[in-house]
Amino acid sequence: MRALAPSLGTMTRLDYTRDEHSRRYGRVARLMPEMEWDAHFDTVCAIEALKRERNAIVLAHNYQRPEIFHGVADVQGDSLALAGAAARSRADVVVMCGVHFMAETAKLLAPQKTVLLPDTRAGCSLADAITADDVRALRAAHPGAPVVCYVNTSAAVKAVSDVCCTSANALEIIESLGEPEVIFVPDQFLAAWVAKHTRVRIIPWAGRCEVHERFTAAEIEDYRRDTQAFVLAHPECSPEVQSAADYVGSTSGMIAALRQARPARAVLITECSMADNVSSAFPETEFLRPCNLCPHMQRITLTGIHAALRDLSPVIEIERSVAPAARACVQRMFEQTYRLTA
Ligand code: 13P
Ligand code: SF4
């Protein structure tokens, strides 16, 4: 790691100029007054300086606040893209602006790097829905059926699963196993979506995302009737919501679908920061904003990122007893994904 300059953590403006700050404002101008963006200037400067000092990279999930997503992120994307970026990066330090399982996945794929999660309370209701003992019990109840775990799980659960997947590749990963039945944990709604699109018998678990389960099909019908909006839903939503949507897919899938459809109006049935973040890439589309925020994603703030880079804490470590098996589970996903796209 590089030596630290004495000015570490002070509000230096060496790496980030007022011009650059104004240029970036264009991406959020529809979301916040310039005065609010300006209020972030000193913290963004300090983070940029620390990134350089620490040889650090900031990864931001699509659900992060706009000042993080557009202000300090080096890589933005869905959970699959961020995991890949952590593995490929040549940085010494990775700051995960997302939730705990994302930081764990980054650490599994980049064990030599220092992985920071600015607030370790940033959890996930899906990851909390299942334990390694639950997976063992499922295996005992369904001998011979392989276990596919959603990436939204702890490293301990990954360690007792065969392969992991994200919402972007769940169907492909499950089908690639060539088995008649597969245990899929922990999201029951993503399991229902996969089951609808495959002949493989899916044995689900009863986990749910506390954010996506709140959306209702009636809400979608109201949007459609009142605005004729193109409706895109995340597969963590209920099957009724999935059926009412025009498109169902991961956060990156939604962006690709928007690029193709270029609708006049769109509603993203997912965490609401996502619409804020992608709106600058689709200036001709009016985004309607049903606001269900993920309280865990919201724990990450600019000041938290600054403190994490300054103190090199909180550091994410994976227990030695589970790390090798959990890493193999994630790596199998990348091997399968590569084979499927090669
Ligand atoms: P993606 O895999 O689409 O990024 O979603 C992760 C997540 O936590 C959705 O709630
Ligand atoms: Fe977990 Fe849901 Fe938040 Fe995604 S939106 S991190 S699935 S609680």
Side-chain angles (χ1 to χ4, degrees):
M1 199 168 297
R2 290 178 196 177
L4 302 179
S7 63
L8 178 69
T10 57
M11 301 298 180
T12 167
R13 299 179 184 204
L14 285 177
D15 304 316
Y16 185 72
T17 63
R18 179 60 78 175
D19 280 355
E20 174 60 11
H21 183 70
S22 302
R23 193 181 66 73
R24 290 192 202 186
Y25 179 64
R27 302 182 203 154
V28 295
R30 292 201 291 185
L31 307 173
M32 64 174 77
E34 197 157 2
M35 205 195 293
E36 189 182 333
W37 183 247
D38 279 346
H40 297 306
F41 179 60
D42 285 342
T43 316
V44 171
C45 288
I47 290 171
E48 291 298 330
L50 281 169
K51 274 160 64 175
R52 183 169 283 212
E53 300 277 2
R54 301 289 199 189
N55 187 25
I57 186 172
V58 172
L59 311 182
H61 188 264
N62 290 326
Y63 295 166
Q64 286 296 296
R65 302 160 186 272
E67 64 270 21
I68 294 174
F69 193 85
H70 291 297
V72 296
D74 300 294
V75 179
Q76 305 143 321
D78 67 358
S79 53
L80 183 63
L82 299 187
R88 284 189 305 271
S89 165
R90 300 178 70 174
D92 295 314
V93 176
V94 172
V95 184
M96 179 56 76
C97 300
V99 295
H100 195 269
F101 75 83
M102 296 179 182
E104 275 194 341
T105 310
K107 182 67 184 176
L108 286 171
L109 292 172
Q112 316 304 338
K113 292 173 191 157
T114 301
V115 176
L116 304 171
L117 179 64
D119 189 326
T120 50
R121 294 169 302 170
C124 170
S125 69
L126 278 172
D128 289 345
I130 192 159
T131 65
D133 280 345
D134 294 328
V135 176
R136 288 189 195 100
L138 277 168
R139 277 197 195 276
H142 304 278
V147 177
V148 177
C149 68
Y150 194 23
V151 70
N152 298 40
T153 44
S154 65
V157 164
K158 289 184 176 79
V160 291
S161 301
D162 293 290
V163 57
C164 102
C165 72
T166 72
S167 53
N169 59 23
L171 184 61
E172 290 78 7
I173 293 288
I174 285 169
E175 294 201 327
S176 73
L177 298 175
E179 295 287 342
E181 59 176 18
V182 166
I183 298 167
F184 180 72
V185 299
D187 186 355
Q188 72 176 96
F189 293 155
L190 178 56
W193 184 81
V194 172
K196 200 172 152 185
H197 293 86
T198 182
R199 300 169 88 118
V200 178
R201 193 170 89 81
I202 304 295
I203 301 159
W205 184 252
R208 291 182 183 190
C209 161
E210 67 186 84
V211 178
H212 289 87
E213 71 172 349
R214 276 187 252 147
F215 294 104
T216 64
E219 217 175 321
I220 294 187
E221 293 318 329
D222 287 348
Y223 273 115
R224 217 191 283 287
R225 191 186 53 244
D226 299 342
T227 67
Q228 286 85 49
F230 185 56
V231 179
L232 304 97
H234 197 280
E236 290 171 10
C237 296
S238 71
E240 296 73 36
V241 168
Q242 295 170 17
S243 299
D246 298 303
Y247 172 84
V248 178
S250 67
T251 54
S252 57
M254 288 188 212
I255 296 170
L258 282 169
R259 216 168 267 134
Q260 203 173 22
R262 297 272 165 194
R265 286 199 186 108
V267 55
L268 304 187
I269 305 297
T270 189
E271 214 272 1
C272 61
S273 304
M274 162 107 182
D276 289 347
N277 290 332
V278 303
S279 61
S280 59
F282 299 95
E284 74 283 19
T285 300
E286 183 189 350
F287 286 90
L288 308 163
R289 294 187 159 82
C291 207
N292 278 343
L293 281 167
C294 173
H296 310 289
M297 291 279 179
Q298 290 297 305
R299 287 195 182 275
I300 310 300
T301 60
L302 282 179
T303 45
I305 296 167
H306 176 256
L309 274 167
R310 183 194 58 212
D311 305 338
L312 283 185
S313 169
V315 170
I316 296 295
E317 298 291 356
I318 314 284
E319 242 185 78
R320 272 171 192 225
S321 58
V322 300
R327 182 171 303 118
C329 171
V330 179
Q331 280 170 342
R332 264 178 233 124
M333 168 178 76
F334 280 98
E335 282 155 20
Q336 288 292 4
T337 309
Y338 178 73
R339 265 198 5 209
L340 293 165
T341 53

Coordinates of all heavy atoms in Angstrom, one line a residue, residues 61 63 78-79 101-102 150 152 166-167 212 234 236 250-251, ligand 1:
H61 N -23.5 0.2 -5.7 CA -24.7 -0.5 -6.3 C -25.7 0.5 -6.8 O -25.7 1.7 -6.4 CB -25.3 -1.4 -5.2 CG -26.4 -2.3 -5.7 ND1 -27.7 -1.9 -5.7 CD2 -26.3 -3.5 -6.3 CE1 -28.4 -2.9 -6.2 NE2 -27.6 -3.9 -6.6
Y63 N -28.6 1.0 -6.2 CA -29.5 1.5 -5.2 C -28.9 2.6 -4.3 O -29.5 3.0 -3.3 CB -30.0 0.4 -4.3 CG -30.9 -0.7 -4.9 CD1 -31.1 -1.8 -4.2 CD2 -31.4 -0.5 -6.2 CE1 -31.9 -2.8 -4.8 CE2 -32.2 -1.5 -6.7 CZ -32.4 -2.7 -6.1 OH -33.2 -3.7 -6.6
D78 N -25.0 -3.6 -10.9 CA -25.7 -4.6 -10.1 C -24.7 -5.4 -9.3 O -23.5 -5.3 -9.4 CB -26.7 -5.4 -10.9 CG -25.9 -6.3 -11.9 OD1 -24.7 -6.3 -12.0 OD2 -26.6 -7.0 -12.6
S79 N -25.3 -6.4 -8.5 CA -24.4 -7.1 -7.6 C -23.4 -8.0 -8.4 O -22.2 -8.1 -8.0 CB -25.2 -8.0 -6.7 OG -26.1 -8.8 -7.4
F101 N -23.6 -8.5 2.3 CA -23.2 -9.7 1.5 C -22.4 -9.3 0.2 O -21.6 -10.1 -0.3 CB -24.5 -10.5 1.1 CG -25.3 -9.9 0.0 CD1 -25.0 -10.1 -1.3 CD2 -26.5 -9.1 0.3 CE1 -25.8 -9.5 -2.4 CE2 -27.3 -8.6 -0.7 CZ -26.9 -8.7 -2.0
M102 N -22.6 -8.1 -0.3 CA -21.9 -7.6 -1.4 C -20.4 -7.4 -1.0 O -19.5 -7.8 -1.8 CB -22.4 -6.3 -2.0 CG -23.8 -6.5 -2.5 SD -24.5 -4.9 -3.1 CE -26.2 -5.5 -3.6
Y150 N -28.8 -17.7 -3.9 CA -28.8 -16.3 -4.4 C -27.6 -15.6 -3.8 O -27.2 -15.9 -2.6 CB -30.1 -15.6 -3.9 CG -30.5 -14.3 -4.6 CD1 -30.0 -14.0 -5.8 CD2 -31.4 -13.5 -3.9 CE1 -30.4 -12.8 -6.4 CE2 -31.8 -12.3 -4.5 CZ -31.3 -11.9 -5.7 OH -31.7 -10.7 -6.3
N152 N -27.5 -12.9 -2.5 CA -27.9 -12.3 -1.3 C -28.0 -13.3 -0.1 O -29.0 -13.6 0.4 CB -29.3 -11.7 -1.4 CG -29.4 -10.6 -2.5 OD1 -28.8 -10.8 -3.6 ND2 -30.2 -9.6 -2.3
T166 N -27.0 -14.6 -9.3 CA -27.6 -13.3 -9.0 C -28.9 -13.3 -9.8 O -29.2 -14.2 -10.5 CB -26.8 -12.1 -9.5 OG1 -26.8 -12.0 -10.9 CG2 -25.3 -12.2 -9.0
S167 N -29.7 -12.2 -9.7 CA -31.0 -12.2 -10.4 C -30.7 -12.1 -11.9 O -31.6 -12.4 -12.7 CB -31.9 -11.0 -9.9 OG -31.2 -9.8 -9.9
H212 N -39.0 -5.2 -1.7 CA -39.7 -5.5 -2.9 C -41.1 -6.2 -2.6 O -42.0 -6.2 -3.4 CB -38.9 -6.5 -3.8 CG -37.7 -5.7 -4.5 ND1 -36.5 -5.5 -3.9 CD2 -37.7 -5.1 -5.7 CE1 -35.7 -4.8 -4.7 NE2 -36.4 -4.6 -5.8
H234 N -38.4 -5.9 -10.5 CA -37.3 -6.8 -10.1 C -37.9 -8.1 -9.7 O -39.0 -8.1 -9.2 CB -36.6 -6.2 -8.9 CG -35.2 -6.8 -8.7 ND1 -35.1 -8.0 -8.0 CD2 -34.0 -6.4 -9.0 CE1 -33.8 -8.3 -7.9 NE2 -33.1 -7.3 -8.5
E236 N -37.5 -9.9 -7.3 CA -37.7 -10.1 -5.9 C -39.1 -9.7 -5.5 O -39.5 -9.7 -4.4 CB -36.7 -9.3 -5.1 CG -35.3 -9.9 -5.2 CD -34.2 -9.0 -4.6 OE1 -34.6 -8.0 -3.9 OE2 -33.0 -9.2 -4.8
S250 N -33.2 -8.2 -13.5 CA -32.3 -7.6 -12.5 C -32.1 -6.1 -12.7 O -32.6 -5.6 -13.7 CB -30.9 -8.3 -12.7 OG -30.4 -7.9 -13.9
T251 N -31.4 -5.5 -11.8 CA -31.3 -4.0 -12.0 C -30.5 -3.7 -13.3 O -30.9 -2.8 -14.1 CB -30.5 -3.4 -10.8 OG1 -29.3 -4.1 -10.6 CG2 -31.4 -3.5 -9.6
Ligands
13P1 P1 -29.2 -7.0 -8.3 O1 -28.5 -8.3 -8.3 O2 -30.2 -6.8 -9.4 O3 -28.1 -5.9 -8.2 O4 -30.0 -6.8 -7.0 C1 -29.5 -7.0 -5.7 C2 -30.5 -6.6 -4.7 O5 -30.2 -6.6 -3.5 C3 -31.8 -6.3 -5.1 O6 -32.6 -6.0 -4.1

